[in-house]
Amino acid sequence: MNEGPSTIETELDRDIGIVGAISLGVGTMIAAGIFVLSGLAVSNIGAMAIVAFIIAAIVASFTAFAYAEFASIYPESGGGYAYVSNTFDSDLTYIVGWSMILGYPASAAFYLASFSDWFDRFIVPLFSAGLNEALPFWLSGVVILGLLVGLNLKGTEESGQFQIVVTVLKVLLILVFLFGGLQAFDSATIATSFAENADKYRQIGLTSALVFITFFGFEAIATNAEEIEKPGQNVPRAIFFAMGFVTFVYALVVLVVTLAINNPEYLEFLIGTVATIADTAGAESYITENGEIAMGYAASFYLGNIGFYVIIVGALFSMLSAANATVLAGSRVKLAMSRRDHLPERFEDLHPAFNTPYWSVLLTGGLIAFFIFFFTVLPQLIFGTTTIHAGFLEFHMGIEAIAHFADFMLLTGLIVVNFAIVRSRQKYPKIDRGFEVPAVPYVPIVAVLANLILMVNVEPGAFLLGLLAEVIGVALWVTVIGTTTKETIEQETPTVVEEIFPEDREYQILVPIADPEHTEQLMRTARNIAADKNGEILVLSVVALPEQTPLTEGHGLVDDRRAIINEAMNVDVGGGDADIPVNGIVKIGHHVDEAVLHTVTQHGSDAILMGWRGRPARRRDVVVGSTVDTVVREADCNVLVERIGTNGSVDSILLPVAGGPHAKYATEVARAIAHVTDASITVLQVVEPHNERNRELASASLNEIGTILEDVSFETQLVEGEDVADTIVDTSSDYDATIVGATREGLFQQLVFGAIPETVGREAGGTVIMAKKDLGITSRLRRLFSRS
């Protein structure tokens, strides 16, 4: 007897208080966004940048409501990914996690690339005039990245304390900047700037999408909920305090920068400061092309050289702290994904000395380095510019492109989170919620629409790169990550009885049996199929326990299931002289369908044969039966479903066909049964009356099917009928068995086999077998997007 290994849960220490939680949010929001994006925004749309920032803040606030409610319910690492995973029973949650594990590192790459840019422009020249030409501009950002990765490997308490100190310092520095700049406040200048830019709707939309990244700090708070004290109370408070404070500060900073770049004295200041500027027109052009450093020169203009370098140092520390908060949050998403088998198990491992998810931290650091080089270094090395022309497309790389790409990835996750809050209210209406989103579902719907509007306003090149990244994520899931390991399977559905004989044949058919009354009928069909292929039969019985019951409690219920296995292994069903090995296993699990699917993965089964009573489903969301539906949709092998109730010999088989891979598989099954039992097969194709074109196509299909049946007795019939299913049902009364293939394989498939096979399965006479061919990657892609 094999008992599944016990699992040991790993938890992180709750050592981040309310001040630390607020600093995570404020530290992420007041960073490269305020020092870099405020200048870019003002250079694009002047004082209307205030409107762009407010739009971005409002959009973020709608989704922040959802995060606040979820954090009060699920105080665990993972943020939006964890919330969606706890709400939807679907592999679609992987896409949310994938979007987050790229969006966070892209955000950190934006902060560190901005750090490198400012450090190279303002700090390096202090040491040597030619040093910034000798050293690569990205070096400082990569060095800081290494230090931040080391800090996060050491532990969140050190990282959180660092975050508080740096956040307080940079807020003080920004207050100094505002004090100097607001003394030159001129309402006429601001009003003129508003008027000149009020009709630039596209630019306002682009700028709102660009600066959205600055308000994503609320996610950083929620993502670290597992390490925050009293998360149900502190997380919502930290989110809304941080967002309100930061929005107010951003508006003031935009005012000061707008006042500066519209001040003739500021333009004269630039002419005397920047060697490449010769006149006023050159100064205006310089501001337009270098908006990311406009705030730095504004600080110098208002505060003098000392104030300028104080602000520069503050900006660098702001970018550093934002990157630190993002590394911390990004690594926790990977930790959560690993716990749900959406990433390899190693990313859940905690360091034995520091108790931190060190593999997740290292992966986050690697992705950040990749984005820095991909967006800022490689374009310059390969093309000599950050603007790349590919046919009719134009990709603007560089720092601004990183922000747009990060926004696309993060907005993808936020959209699903808002859907999840609506589903959570429906699915768990009585769950205790420390905070509730008002006016559900209206507020989440508004949030989804607002997020979509921002997403379509992302710069086109970054938008396409984001779509490509999502496609790569789906491909990785389908081909690599989605393959469950045997070790994980044994934890989730342990094998407790295993009667396996040493013969190992190339073909195996798995037969799950729950009711002893079904044994003989299913074993007869399985034997006929296995005998034709010189294969073997694996019989499975599952001890199903309630969700809240530990799997170890199932050992006392194994004996009844062992008896079913023994009966199946000893049943005499005839069917030729072939010696067919019959093996058996008993598994314990919370869900029978998962146990069946796990057995397919563990033992490499080629087909599953399941029984069905033929009764209409009682639930609207169930077609054949909840367990059978799931297995038919998700099994990585061929699936056969046999209607239980008929138990006689099979001398004649009706084979309705309509083309396609499922019909061919049904034909192969019919041929296998006929080959063993000497049954005759009638291949039936139903066409609309008086439709000559359909008759010609049907005749060609019948000829193709006939090539599969060459070694058994068969005939073909082409009949006319207004209703295909009714015609097949009426014809089936003259046959012992009807074998029919599935008719559809849609991305958002609601039916299991298709309307016609399911009608035939319920109403046809004699034995009915419905067949579905495994279509490999196509099938896995459909499963990814069809579950909910």
Side-chain angles (χ1 to χ4, degrees):
M1 179 180 294
N2 296 328
E3 296 189 7
S6 61
T7 58
I8 300 176
E9 292 292 331
T10 56
E11 295 184 355
L12 303 173
D13 297 328
R14 294 192 185 276
D15 48 26
I16 300 177
I18 180 64
V19 176
I22 292 173
S23 71
L24 278 173
V26 174
T28 306
M29 293 185 232
I30 296 184
I34 201 164
F35 292 100
V36 175
L37 295 182
S38 58
L40 284 170
V42 173
S43 66
N44 288 338
I45 55 174
M48 284 300 293
I50 296 176
V51 176
F53 274 102
I54 292 175
I55 290 172
I58 292 173
V59 172
S61 297
F62 281 120
T63 301
F65 276 117
Y67 272 80
E69 177 170 325
F70 273 133
S72 71
I73 303 172
Y74 307 116
E76 57 182 286
S77 291
Y81 164 76
Y83 306 150
V84 172
S85 295
N86 287 329
T87 305
F88 294 113
D89 299 323
S90 169
D91 286 335
L92 184 61
T93 59
Y94 160 79
I95 294 298
V96 178
W98 173 260
S99 301
M100 296 295 181
I101 66 174
L102 293 186
Y104 274 122
S107 300
F110 164 69
Y111 301 138
L112 291 177
S114 300
F115 180 97
S116 295
D117 187 40
W118 278 51
F119 191 87
D120 185 66
R121 288 175 184 260
F122 299 123
I123 301 299
V124 172
L126 295 177
F127 299 96
S128 172
L131 189 60
N132 56 347
E133 297 180 2
L135 295 176
F137 72 91
W138 46 263
L139 180 62
S140 58
V142 172
V143 170
I144 292 299
L145 172 60
L147 294 176
L148 293 180
V149 168
L151 182 66
N152 279 272
L153 288 174
K154 181 66 170 63
T156 55
E157 183 174 5
E158 290 80 2
S159 180
Q161 291 172 350
F162 170 81
Q163 193 72 28
I164 293 173
V165 173
V166 173
T167 300
V168 170
L169 287 176
K170 66 184 175 183
V171 168
L172 291 175
L173 291 175
I174 290 171
L175 292 177
V176 171
F177 171 77
L178 293 175
F179 174 78
L182 290 175
Q183 293 186 58
F185 181 77
D186 181 3
S187 59
T189 300
I190 299 300
T192 301
S193 182
F194 269 116
E196 290 176 347
N197 295 280
D199 59 348
K200 295 181 179 179
Y201 304 115
R202 173 58 177 164
Q203 284 297 318
I204 293 172
L206 280 170
T207 305
S208 296
L210 172 66
V211 303
F212 178 80
I213 191 175
T214 64
F215 295 101
F216 200 66
F218 72 81
E219 228 280 353
I221 298 172
T223 300
N224 292 280
E226 187 173 349
E227 297 158 270
I228 295 175
E229 299 172 356
K230 301 178 181 178
Q233 172 180 316
N234 287 340
V235 170
R237 290 180 179 179
I239 286 175
F240 293 114
F241 180 87
M243 291 193 68
F245 175 76
V246 168
T247 303
F248 177 71
V249 171
Y250 267 92
L252 293 179
V253 168
V254 167
L255 282 178
V256 172
V257 175
T258 302
L259 290 169
I261 67 175
N262 286 280
N263 189 332
E265 295 180 7
Y266 175 72
L267 298 179
E268 291 295 328
F269 167 79
L270 288 179
I271 295 172
T273 304
V274 182
T276 57
I277 300 177
D279 51 28
T280 302
E284 293 175 346
S285 176
Y286 185 83
I287 293 172
T288 302
E289 296 174 1
N290 298 273
E292 66 271 16
I293 57 173
M295 182 177 172
Y297 284 117
S300 180
F301 174 67
Y302 287 124
L303 303 174
N305 286 335
I306 295 178
F308 168 68
Y309 284 109
V310 168
I311 293 299
I312 294 300
V313 172
L316 292 175
F317 271 103
S318 296
M319 299 167 193
L320 190 154
S321 69
N324 175 66
T326 310
V327 170
L328 181 64
S331 63
R332 274 30 179 195
V333 174
K334 296 170 184 65
L335 171 65
M337 291 185 71
S338 179
R339 288 174 173 174
R340 290 168 172 79
D341 299 321
H342 284 162
L343 281 180
E345 188 175 331
R346 69 170 54 185
F347 293 105
E348 184 181 355
D349 294 344
L350 301 184
H351 193 280
F354 304 131
N355 200 40
T356 56
Y358 59 105
W359 281 110
S360 294
V361 173
L362 291 173
L363 176 59
T364 301
L367 288 171
I368 293 169
F370 169 78
F371 286 128
I372 291 174
F373 279 88
F374 179 79
F375 280 96
T376 65
V377 179
L378 288 181
Q380 290 285 356
L381 290 177
I382 298 175
F383 302 101
T385 178
T386 56
T387 301
I388 302 171
H389 298 276
F392 65 91
L393 296 176
E394 185 175 83
F395 290 86
H396 296 281
M397 305 296 278
I399 294 175
E400 190 172 346
I402 306 178
H404 276 291
F405 175 80
D407 283 339
F408 178 92
M409 303 306 298
L410 297 174
L411 283 166
T412 301
L414 297 187
I415 288 169
V416 183
V417 169
N418 282 289
F419 281 121
I421 205 70
V422 177
R423 178 58 178 155
S424 176
R425 292 289 187 91
Q426 297 171 343
K427 191 174 182 179
Y428 308 113
K430 297 182 180 179
I431 197 171
D432 182 27
R433 292 175 166 85
F435 175 87
E436 291 190 1
V437 178
V440 173
Y442 304 107
V443 169
I445 290 173
V446 170
V448 168
L449 294 175
N451 287 331
L452 284 172
I453 292 171
L454 281 188
M455 180 179 284
V456 299
N457 277 287
V458 166
E459 195 275 326
F463 188 93
L464 291 176
L465 287 174
L467 288 179
L468 177 61
E470 298 290 12
V471 170
I472 292 173
V474 172
L476 283 174
W477 172 259
V478 171
T479 58
V480 181
I481 301 174
T483 303
T484 307
T485 65
K486 291 186 177 182
E487 181 179 351
T488 300
I489 285 173
E490 276 301 312
Q491 293 177 3
E492 295 177 352
T493 52
T495 302
V496 290
V497 173
E498 190 168 16
E499 300 288 349
I500 302 293
F501 298 101
E503 290 191 61
D504 185 13
R505 304 200 180 185
E506 292 186 0
Y507 180 87
Q508 181 190 91
I509 183 168
L510 174 66
V511 186
I513 299 178
D515 191 333
E517 295 181 0
H518 307 163
T519 302
E520 184 174 341
Q521 181 177 344
L522 293 175
M523 290 300 292
R524 175 184 288 107
T525 302
R527 178 183 173 83
N528 290 339
I529 296 172
D532 178 70
K533 295 181 177 294
N534 191 29
E536 62 184 8
I537 301 172
L538 178 62
V539 182
L540 168 68
S541 192
V542 181
V543 177
L545 300 176
E547 189 75 46
Q548 67 274 14
T549 303
L551 294 178
T552 52
E553 297 296 319
H555 292 286
L557 306 174
V558 167
D559 288 343
D560 290 342
R561 297 296 157 185
R562 186 198 299 266
I564 294 177
I565 295 295
N566 290 334
E567 181 180 343
M569 296 175 67
N570 296 321
V571 68
D572 181 11
V573 295
D577 299 327
D579 183 16
I580 306 301
V582 181
N583 303 312
I585 59 173
V586 175
K587 288 180 117 6
I588 298 175
H590 293 302
H591 304 282
V592 176
D593 49 9
E594 290 183 1
V596 174
L597 295 170
H598 287 171
T599 304
V600 171
T601 301
Q602 279 182 299
H603 294 272
S605 303
D606 299 283
I608 302 173
L609 172 65
M610 302 189 73
W612 173 44
R613 293 182 179 274
R615 300 169 183 166
R618 296 180 180 179
R619 286 168 44 192
R620 292 183 179 180
D621 59 341
V622 174
V623 179
V624 178
S626 57
T627 297
V628 177
D629 283 8
T630 304
V631 172
V632 171
R633 288 192 177 109
E634 300 193 17
D636 289 325
C637 68
N638 302 327
V639 181
L640 301 167
V641 175
E642 181 170 358
R643 192 181 68 194
I644 297 298
T646 55
N647 203 17
S649 61
V650 176
D651 297 318
S652 59
I653 299 173
L654 178 65
L655 179 63
V657 295
H662 305 301
K664 289 183 179 180
Y665 178 55
T667 304
E668 294 171 4
V669 172
R671 191 205 64 79
I673 295 174
H675 189 262
V676 175
T677 63
D678 293 327
S680 62
I681 299 175
T682 298
V683 185
L684 175 68
Q685 181 123 25
V686 182
V687 297
E688 296 177 359
H690 313 301
N691 191 324
E692 290 301 319
R693 176 58 177 164
N694 280 358
R695 291 181 69 89
E696 293 174 4
L697 294 174
S699 297
S701 177
L702 289 175
N703 292 333
E704 182 182 2
I705 292 296
T707 61
I708 304 175
L709 303 174
E710 289 180 346
D711 60 345
V712 296
S713 174
F714 76 96
E715 64 175 4
T716 61
Q717 287 188 14
L718 186 62
V719 301
E720 294 182 346
E722 294 286 353
D723 187 287
V724 175
D726 288 345
T727 303
I728 296 172
V729 170
D730 292 341
T731 308
S732 68
S733 60
D734 297 327
Y735 296 86
D736 298 318
T738 300
I739 302 176
V740 59
T743 58
R744 10 189 281 134
E745 183 75 5
L747 273 179
F748 297 94
Q749 181 176 349
Q750 297 300 316
L751 303 177
V752 177
F753 287 98
I756 294 174
E758 288 162 15
T759 300
V760 172
R762 287 191 299 270
E763 300 179 11
T767 297
V768 179
I769 299 175
M770 295 179 286
K772 178 175 175 289
K773 176 76 172 177
D774 176 39
L775 300 182
I777 289 180
T778 301
S779 182
R780 294 183 71 182
L781 283 171
R782 173 186 55 76
R783 292 203 309 271
L784 180 64
F785 290 105
S786 64
R787 293 183 66 192
S788 60

